[in-house]
Coordinates of all heavy atoms in Angstrom, one line a residue:
Y43 N -11.4 -0.2 4.4 CA -10.1 -0.8 4.8 C -10.1 -1.6 6.0 O -10.7 -1.3 6.9 CB -9.0 0.4 5.1 CG -8.8 1.3 3.8 CD1 -9.6 2.5 3.6 CD2 -7.8 0.9 2.9 CE1 -9.3 3.3 2.6 CE2 -7.6 1.8 1.7 CZ -8.3 3.0 1.6 OH -8.1 3.8 0.5
A44 N -9.3 -2.7 6.0 CA -9.1 -3.5 7.1 C -7.6 -3.9 7.1 O -7.0 -4.4 6.3 CB -10.0 -4.7 7.1
D45 N -6.9 -3.5 8.3 CA -5.6 -3.9 8.5 C -5.5 -5.3 9.2 O -6.2 -5.5 10.2 CB -4.9 -2.8 9.5 CG -4.6 -1.5 8.7 OD1 -3.9 -1.6 7.7 OD2 -5.1 -0.5 9.2
L46 N -4.5 -6.1 8.8 CA -4.2 -7.3 9.4 C -3.1 -7.1 10.3 O -2.2 -6.3 10.0 CB -4.0 -8.4 8.5 CG -5.2 -8.8 7.5 CD1 -4.8 -10.0 6.6 CD2 -6.5 -8.9 8.2
Q47 N -3.0 -7.7 11.5 CA -1.9 -7.6 12.4 C -0.6 -8.2 11.9 O -0.6 -9.3 11.6 CB -2.2 -8.3 13.7 CG -1.2 -8.0 14.8 CD -1.1 -6.6 15.3 OE1 -2.1 -6.0 15.5 NE2 0.1 -6.1 15.5
T48 N 0.5 -7.3 11.8 CA 1.8 -7.9 11.3 C 2.8 -7.5 12.3 O 2.6 -6.5 13.0 CB 2.1 -7.4 9.9 OG1 2.2 -6.0 9.8 CG2 1.1 -8.1 8.9
E49 N 3.9 -8.2 12.3 CA 5.0 -7.8 13.2 C 5.8 -6.6 12.5 O 5.7 -6.4 11.4 CB 5.9 -9.0 13.4 CG 5.3 -10.2 14.0 CD 4.7 -9.9 15.5 OE1 5.4 -9.1 16.2 OE2 3.7 -10.4 15.8
A50 N 6.6 -6.0 13.3 CA 7.3 -4.8 12.9 C 8.2 -5.2 11.7 O 8.7 -4.2 11.0 CB 8.2 -4.2 14.1
D51 N 8.8 -6.4 11.6 CA 9.7 -6.7 10.5 C 9.0 -7.3 9.3 O 9.7 -7.7 8.4 CB 10.8 -7.6 11.2 CG 10.4 -9.0 11.6 OD1 9.2 -9.1 11.9 OD2 11.1 -9.8 11.7
E52 N 7.7 -7.3 9.3 CA 6.9 -7.9 8.2 C 6.3 -6.7 7.4 O 6.0 -5.6 8.0 CB 5.8 -8.8 8.7 CG 6.2 -10.0 9.4 CD 5.0 -10.8 9.9 OE1 4.2 -10.3 10.6 OE2 4.9 -11.9 9.3
P53 N 6.0 -6.9 6.1 CA 5.1 -5.8 5.5 C 3.8 -5.7 6.1 O 3.2 -6.7 6.6 CB 5.1 -6.4 4.0 CG 6.2 -7.4 3.9 CD 6.4 -8.0 5.3
L54 N 3.2 -4.6 6.0 CA 1.8 -4.3 6.3 C 1.0 -5.1 5.4 O 1.3 -5.2 4.2 CB 1.5 -2.8 6.3 CG 2.3 -1.8 7.2 CD1 2.0 -0.5 6.8 CD2 2.0 -2.2 8.7
I55 N -0.1 -5.5 5.9 CA -1.1 -6.2 5.0 C -2.5 -5.5 5.2 O -3.0 -5.5 6.3 CB -1.3 -7.7 5.3 CG1 0.1 -8.5 5.2 CG2 -2.3 -8.4 4.4 CD1 0.0 -10.0 5.6
L56 N -3.0 -5.0 4.1 CA -4.3 -4.3 4.2 C -5.3 -5.0 3.2 O -4.9 -5.3 2.1 CB -4.0 -2.8 3.6 CG -5.1 -1.9 3.5 CD1 -5.6 -1.5 5.0 CD2 -4.7 -0.6 2.8
V57 N -6.4 -5.1 3.6 CA -7.6 -5.6 2.8 C -8.4 -4.3 2.5 O -8.7 -3.6 3.3 CB -8.4 -6.7 3.5 CG1 -9.5 -7.2 2.6 CG2 -7.5 -7.9 3.9
Q58 N -8.6 -4.2 1.2 CA -9.4 -3.0 0.8 C -10.6 -3.3 -0.2 O -10.4 -4.1 -1.1 CB -8.4 -2.1 0.0 CG -8.8 -0.9 -0.7 CD -7.7 -0.1 -1.3 OE1 -7.3 0.9 -0.9 NE2 -7.2 -0.6 -2.5
K59 N -11.7 -2.7 0.1 CA -12.9 -2.9 -0.7 C -12.8 -1.9 -1.9 O -12.5 -0.7 -1.6 CB -14.2 -2.5 0.1 CG -15.4 -2.8 -0.7 CD -16.6 -2.7 0.1 CE -17.8 -3.0 -0.9 NZ -19.1 -2.8 -0.1
V60 N -12.9 -2.4 -3.1 CA -12.7 -1.6 -4.3 C -13.8 -1.7 -5.3 O -14.6 -2.7 -5.3 CB -11.4 -1.9 -5.0 CG1 -10.2 -1.6 -4.1 CG2 -11.3 -3.4 -5.4
D61 N -13.8 -0.8 -6.3 CA -14.8 -1.0 -7.4 C -14.2 -1.6 -8.7 O -15.0 -2.0 -9.5 CB -15.4 0.4 -7.8 CG -16.3 1.0 -6.6 OD1 -16.9 0.3 -5.9 OD2 -16.2 2.3 -6.5
H62 N -12.9 -1.7 -8.7 CA -12.3 -2.2 -9.9 C -12.1 -3.8 -9.6 O -12.3 -4.3 -8.5 CB -11.0 -1.5 -10.2 CG -9.9 -1.6 -9.0 ND1 -9.3 -2.8 -8.7 CD2 -9.5 -0.6 -8.2 CE1 -8.5 -2.4 -7.7 NE2 -8.7 -1.1 -7.4
P63 N -11.7 -4.6 -10.6 CA -11.5 -6.0 -10.3 C -10.5 -6.3 -9.3 O -9.5 -5.6 -9.0 CB -10.9 -6.4 -11.7 CG -11.3 -5.5 -12.8 CD -11.5 -4.2 -12.1
S64 N -10.8 -7.4 -8.6 CA -9.9 -7.7 -7.4 C -8.5 -8.1 -7.9 O -8.3 -8.6 -9.0 CB -10.5 -9.0 -6.8 OG -11.7 -8.8 -6.2
R65 N -7.5 -7.7 -7.1 CA -6.1 -7.9 -7.4 C -5.3 -7.6 -6.1 O -5.9 -7.2 -5.1 CB -5.7 -7.0 -8.6 CG -5.8 -5.5 -8.3 CD -5.4 -4.6 -9.4 NE -5.6 -3.2 -9.1 CZ -6.1 -2.3 -10.0 NH1 -6.3 -2.7 -11.2 NH2 -6.3 -1.1 -9.7
V66 N -4.0 -7.8 -6.2 CA -3.1 -7.5 -5.1 C -2.1 -6.4 -5.7 O -1.7 -6.5 -6.8 CB -2.4 -8.8 -4.6 CG1 -1.3 -8.4 -3.7 CG2 -3.3 -9.8 -4.1
H67 N -1.9 -5.4 -4.8 CA -0.9 -4.4 -5.2 C 0.1 -4.2 -4.1 O -0.3 -4.5 -3.0 CB -1.4 -3.2 -5.9 CG -2.1 -2.2 -4.9 ND1 -3.4 -2.2 -4.5 CD2 -1.4 -1.3 -4.0 CE1 -3.6 -1.2 -3.6 NE2 -2.4 -0.7 -3.2
L68 N 1.2 -3.6 -4.4 CA 2.3 -3.3 -3.5 C 2.2 -1.8 -3.1 O 1.8 -1.0 -4.0 CB 3.7 -3.6 -4.0 CG 3.8 -5.1 -4.4 CD1 5.3 -5.2 -5.0 CD2 3.7 -6.0 -3.3
D69 N 2.7 -1.5 -1.9 CA 2.8 -0.1 -1.5 C 4.3 0.1 -1.2 O 5.0 -0.7 -0.6 CB 2.1 0.3 -0.3 CG 0.6 0.5 -0.5 OD1 0.2 0.6 -1.6 OD2 -0.1 0.8 0.5
I70 N 4.9 1.2 -1.8 CA 6.3 1.6 -1.5 C 6.2 2.9 -0.7 O 5.5 3.9 -1.1 CB 7.1 1.9 -2.8 CG1 7.2 0.6 -3.7 CG2 8.4 2.5 -2.5 CD1 7.8 0.9 -5.1
E71 N 6.8 2.9 0.5 CA 6.8 4.0 1.3 C 8.1 4.9 1.1 O 9.2 4.3 0.9 CB 6.6 3.7 2.8 CG 7.8 3.0 3.4 CD 7.6 2.7 5.0 OE1 6.6 3.3 5.5 OE2 8.4 1.8 5.5
T72 N 8.0 6.1 1.3 CA 9.1 7.0 1.0 C 9.0 8.3 1.9 O 8.0 8.7 2.3 CB 9.2 7.5 -0.5 OG1 10.4 8.3 -0.6 CG2 8.0 8.1 -0.9
D73 N 10.2 8.9 2.2 CA 10.3 10.1 2.9 C 10.2 11.4 2.0 O 10.2 12.3 2.4 CB 11.5 10.2 3.9 CG 12.8 10.1 3.0 OD1 12.8 10.0 1.8 OD2 13.8 9.9 3.7
D74 N 10.0 11.1 0.6 CA 9.9 12.2 -0.4 C 9.1 11.6 -1.5 O 9.7 11.0 -2.5 CB 11.3 12.7 -0.8 CG 11.2 13.8 -1.7 OD1 10.1 14.1 -2.4 OD2 12.1 14.7 -1.7
I75 N 7.8 11.7 -1.5 CA 6.9 11.2 -2.5 C 7.2 11.6 -3.8 O 7.4 10.8 -4.8 CB 5.5 11.3 -2.1 CG1 5.0 10.5 -0.9 CG2 4.5 11.0 -3.3 CD1 3.7 10.7 -0.4
E76 N 7.4 12.9 -4.1 CA 7.7 13.4 -5.4 C 9.0 12.9 -6.0 O 9.0 12.5 -7.2 CB 7.6 14.9 -5.4 CG 7.7 15.5 -6.8 CD 6.6 15.1 -7.8 OE1 5.5 14.7 -7.3 OE2 6.8 15.2 -8.9
A77 N 10.1 12.9 -5.2 CA 11.3 12.4 -5.7 C 11.3 10.9 -5.9 O 11.8 10.4 -7.0 CB 12.4 12.6 -4.6
E78 N 10.5 10.1 -5.2 CA 10.4 8.7 -5.5 C 9.6 8.4 -6.8 O 9.9 7.6 -7.5 CB 9.8 7.9 -4.3 CG 9.6 6.5 -4.4 CD 10.9 5.6 -4.6 OE1 12.0 6.2 -4.5 OE2 10.8 4.4 -4.7
V79 N 8.5 9.2 -6.9 CA 7.7 9.1 -8.1 C 8.6 9.4 -9.3 O 8.5 8.6 -10.4 CB 6.5 9.9 -8.0 CG1 5.8 10.1 -9.4 CG2 5.4 9.4 -7.0
K80 N 9.3 10.4 -9.3 CA 10.1 10.7 -10.4 C 11.3 9.7 -10.7 O 11.6 9.4 -11.8 CB 10.9 12.1 -10.1 CG 9.9 13.3 -10.3 CD 10.7 14.6 -10.0 CE 9.7 15.8 -10.3 NZ 10.3 17.0 -9.9
R81 N 11.8 9.1 -9.5 CA 12.7 8.0 -9.8 C 12.1 6.9 -10.5 O 12.7 6.3 -11.4 CB 13.3 7.5 -8.4 CG 14.3 6.5 -8.5 CD 14.8 6.1 -7.1 NE 13.8 5.1 -6.6 CZ 13.7 3.8 -6.9 NH1 14.5 3.2 -7.6 NH2 12.7 3.0 -6.3
L82 N 10.9 6.5 -10.1 CA 10.2 5.4 -10.7 C 9.7 5.7 -12.2 O 9.8 4.8 -13.0 CB 8.9 5.0 -9.8 CG 9.3 4.5 -8.5 CD1 8.2 4.5 -7.5 CD2 10.0 3.1 -8.6
E83 N 9.4 6.9 -12.4 CA 9.1 7.3 -13.8 C 10.3 7.2 -14.7 O 10.2 6.8 -15.8 CB 8.7 8.7 -13.9 CG 7.2 9.0 -13.3 CD 6.7 10.4 -13.3 OE1 7.5 11.3 -12.9 OE2 5.6 10.7 -13.7
A84 N 11.5 7.5 -14.2 CA 12.7 7.3 -14.9 C 13.0 5.9 -15.2 O 13.7 5.5 -16.2 CB 13.9 7.9 -14.1
L85 N 12.4 4.9 -14.4 CA 12.5 3.5 -14.6 C 11.5 3.0 -15.7 O 11.5 1.8 -16.0 CB 12.5 2.8 -13.4 CG 13.6 3.1 -12.4 CD1 13.3 2.3 -11.1 CD2 15.0 2.7 -12.9
G86 N 10.5 3.9 -16.0 CA 9.5 3.5 -16.9 C 8.1 3.4 -16.4 O 7.1 3.2 -17.1
A87 N 7.9 3.7 -15.1 CA 6.6 3.7 -14.5 C 5.8 5.0 -14.9 O 6.4 6.0 -15.4 CB 6.7 3.6 -13.0
K88 N 4.5 5.0 -14.8 CA 3.8 6.3 -15.0 C 2.9 6.5 -13.9 O 2.3 5.6 -13.2 CB 3.1 6.1 -16.4 CG 2.0 5.1 -16.4 CD 1.4 5.1 -17.9 CE 0.3 4.0 -17.8 NZ -0.4 4.0 -19.2
R89 N 2.5 7.8 -13.8 CA 1.5 8.2 -12.7 C 0.1 7.9 -13.3 O -0.1 8.1 -14.5 CB 1.7 9.7 -12.5 CG 3.0 10.2 -11.9 CD 3.0 11.6 -11.8 NE 4.4 12.1 -11.7 CZ 4.7 13.0 -10.6 NH1 3.9 13.5 -9.9 NH2 6.1 13.3 -10.7
V90 N -0.8 7.3 -12.5 CA -2.2 7.0 -12.8 C -3.0 8.0 -12.2 O -3.8 8.7 -12.8 CB -2.5 5.6 -12.4 CG1 -4.0 5.4 -12.7 CG2 -1.6 4.6 -13.2
E91 N -2.9 8.3 -10.9 CA -3.8 9.1 -10.1 C -3.3 9.4 -8.7 O -2.7 8.6 -8.1 CB -5.2 8.4 -9.9 CG -6.2 9.1 -9.3 CD -7.6 8.4 -9.0 OE1 -7.6 7.1 -9.4 OE2 -8.6 9.0 -8.7
F92 N -3.5 10.7 -8.3 CA -3.1 11.2 -7.0 C -4.4 11.0 -6.1 O -5.4 11.5 -6.5 CB -2.7 12.6 -7.0 CG -2.1 13.0 -5.6 CD1 -0.9 12.5 -5.2 CD2 -2.9 13.8 -4.9 CE1 -0.3 13.0 -3.9 CE2 -2.4 14.2 -3.5 CZ -1.2 13.7 -3.1
I93 N -4.3 10.3 -5.0 CA -5.4 10.0 -4.1 C -5.0 10.5 -2.7 O -4.1 10.0 -2.2 CB -5.9 8.5 -4.1 CG1 -6.2 8.1 -5.5 CG2 -7.0 8.3 -3.1 CD1 -6.5 6.7 -5.6
K94 N -5.6 11.5 -2.2 CA -5.4 12.1 -0.8 C -3.9 12.4 -0.5 O -3.7 13.6 -0.7 CB -6.0 11.0 0.2 CG -7.4 10.7 0.2 CD -7.8 9.7 1.3 CE -9.3 9.4 1.1 NZ -9.7 8.4 2.1

Side-chain angles (χ1 to χ4, degrees):
Y43 295 95
D45 287 304
L46 302 186
Q47 183 69 44
T48 57
E49 299 299 326
D51 63 344
E52 295 180 301
L54 300 170
I55 301 174
L56 178 69
V57 181
Q58 172 178 252
K59 185 176 180 178
V60 296
D61 293 327
H62 58 71
S64 294
R65 59 184 177 217
V66 174
H67 77 262
L68 304 176
D69 281 356
I70 296 172
E71 70 179 347
T72 180
D73 56 8
D74 187 333
I75 290 178
E76 188 60 24
E78 181 66 1
V79 166
K80 286 180 180 178
R81 184 185 77 81
L82 294 163
E83 286 176 319
L85 297 173
K88 64 181 181 180
R89 296 176 199 227
V90 175
E91 180 180 8
F92 187 77
I93 301 176
K94 297 181 185 179

